[in-house]
Amino acid sequence: MEFISTTKQAIQAERDKNYARAFNLYNEAMKTARTDATRVKIQSRKAWCLHHVGNHREAQELFHTLLSEFGTEPQSYILYSTYMMKTDRLKQARNTLKKGVERFPHHLEIYLVLASLMKDTDRSNEAIEVLKKALSMDYLTRGNGIERKDIWAELGYLYFERGNYNSCIVALKKSLRLSKEGEFLHYDLLAKAYLKINDPASAMKFIEMRLRFFGDYDPEDLVIKARAHARLGEHQYATANLLQAYAIEDSLSLKNEDMVDFSFLVQSGFFDTLEHFEFEEN
């Protein structure tokens, strides 16, 4: 109970930006922490407190002790690399995560953090290889609620960004099979990928699933559905969906690829009747 009480006080002090008090309370909590996993998290919070008051060198040294003192905990690599990413030392963060992958080849979260870093630094090919390596493992330990389905979903996003739409569809459908239907968050991306390969019927299937589970509150979802209707030659329904999208925010914004599908509406002057219409070149 003493540990929980002290930790709660430390967290509140940190939220209040009383970093000196938070640091001292985390020090007290460290004395009664029972596991290395918990000690790693506390050590990280202590280091951030030092960082926020300008003691960057001391913060760096404290973060470095995560690897020297708690190197058997995978979170040490994740928390240390996160600190380096937030302080613009991306190469060092990448090398730390790679070492983490080598040491903990079955720890799912390290792969995702490394892949995310690769993606953010325009190294999508390497990010894809990292995720494929993770998926080649027969067993992966879950962390922070992250599961194998999340790797498939992230891989799907990376393939989409690279223009590899068939691979995107395969990856996302594998993620869907591992998910509960009402909890899958990527129906819209699946629909867009099917539009990219000119399969509007499949696009319609998945965007309608998204609308059924999550409601028709997002104009972008309705635009995707309108595009699928347009490709299927169902111009009346396409127009109705665009008007519904417009009504949500009293405005409508479309991109180049959207306008290609709505050429029949351009010719009819439909968009000239919308007071708040914006065309985004992409």
Side-chain angles (χ1 to χ4, degrees):
M1 290 298 292
E2 179 184 352
F3 171 78
I4 294 174
S5 175
T6 304
T7 303
K8 285 183 177 179
Q9 291 178 58
I11 292 170
Q12 187 58 54
E14 191 175 358
R15 287 174 180 167
D16 294 338
K17 299 184 179 180
N18 190 343
Y19 298 116
R21 173 172 166 75
F23 181 89
N24 292 331
L25 286 167
Y26 282 129
N27 254 343
E28 289 300 313
M30 196 76 165
K31 297 174 184 177
T32 53
R34 294 183 178 181
T35 67
D36 278 350
T38 302
R39 294 184 186 99
V40 165
K41 293 176 184 177
I42 294 175
Q43 192 85 321
S44 170
R45 295 320 316 162
K46 285 171 58 181
W48 273 113
C49 288
L50 290 171
H51 177 83
H52 287 310
V53 298
N55 294 336
H56 298 158
R57 182 175 178 179
E58 293 86 343
Q60 167 66 31
E61 290 175 354
L62 202 55
F63 266 112
H64 189 69
T65 65
L66 293 181
L67 301 187
S68 60
E69 295 182 17
F70 307 106
T72 57
E73 291 295 325
Q75 277 296 320
S76 294
Y77 289 84
I78 293 171
L79 292 172
Y80 187 27
S81 63
T82 299
Y83 175 71
M84 287 188 283
M85 282 186 271
K86 290 184 177 180
T87 52
D88 295 322
R89 287 172 291 169
L90 302 182
K91 183 177 180 180
Q92 296 95 314
R94 185 169 64 248
N95 290 338
T96 298
L97 287 166
K98 285 182 175 180
K99 289 177 183 177
V101 165
E102 291 174 5
R103 183 154 190 182
F104 305 99
H106 301 288
H107 191 77
L108 186 155
E109 190 179 358
I110 294 181
Y111 288 101
L112 275 179
V113 176
L114 178 56
S116 178
L117 174 58
M118 296 291 196
K119 178 180 69 175
D120 292 343
T121 52
D122 298 321
R123 301 167 72 124
S124 59
N125 281 342
E126 292 179 60
I128 287 171
E129 291 307 312
V130 167
L131 296 180
K132 287 168 68 175
K133 181 178 179 180
L135 290 167
S136 71
M137 298 292 171
D138 293 330
Y139 169 74
L140 287 169
T141 56
R142 295 167 55 181
N144 291 332
I146 298 170
E147 302 177 36
R148 186 179 286 266
K149 64 183 176 66
D150 300 306
I151 294 185
W152 281 115
E154 182 64 18
L155 190 58
Y157 271 99
L158 287 169
Y159 278 133
F160 188 90
E161 290 179 357
R162 282 182 47 77
N164 194 336
Y165 304 117
N166 285 301
S167 294
C168 166
I169 290 167
V170 169
L172 289 178
K173 290 180 82 170
K174 286 185 177 181
S175 178
L176 175 57
R177 283 195 290 272
L178 295 171
S179 308
K180 294 180 181 178
E181 280 192 339
E183 296 177 357
F184 184 71
L185 302 177
H186 315 289
Y187 292 112
D188 54 339
L189 189 64
L190 254 178
K192 287 194 286 187
Y194 273 114
L195 285 176
K196 289 287 191 181
I197 65 170
N198 200 25
D199 184 350
S202 294
M204 181 68 73
K205 170 186 173 181
F206 287 107
I207 199 59
E208 286 188 335
M209 289 178 74
R210 178 171 173 83
L211 292 168
R212 182 166 75 251
F213 289 123
F214 301 105
D216 53 0
Y217 310 114
D218 189 335
E220 290 187 14
D221 292 341
L222 292 167
V223 169
I224 293 170
K225 190 179 181 191
R227 290 181 62 197
H229 277 304
R231 296 267 188 103
L232 292 167
E234 299 166 349
H235 293 174
Q236 181 179 354
Y237 294 123
T239 305
N241 276 277
L242 284 180
L243 288 172
Q244 188 178 352
Y246 182 85
I248 291 174
E249 297 179 353
D250 194 29
S251 65
L252 185 65
S253 178
L254 298 178
K255 300 180 176 64
N256 280 338
E257 63 178 344
D258 302 327
M259 297 302 288
V260 170
D261 289 324
F262 302 134
S263 58
F264 67 98
L265 289 175
V266 174
Q267 294 169 7
S268 71
F270 169 81
F271 295 107
D272 296 330
T273 68
L274 303 180
E275 184 177 358
H276 303 293
F277 170 68
E278 181 181 353
F279 170 60
E280 299 178 14
E281 293 191 31
N282 58 340

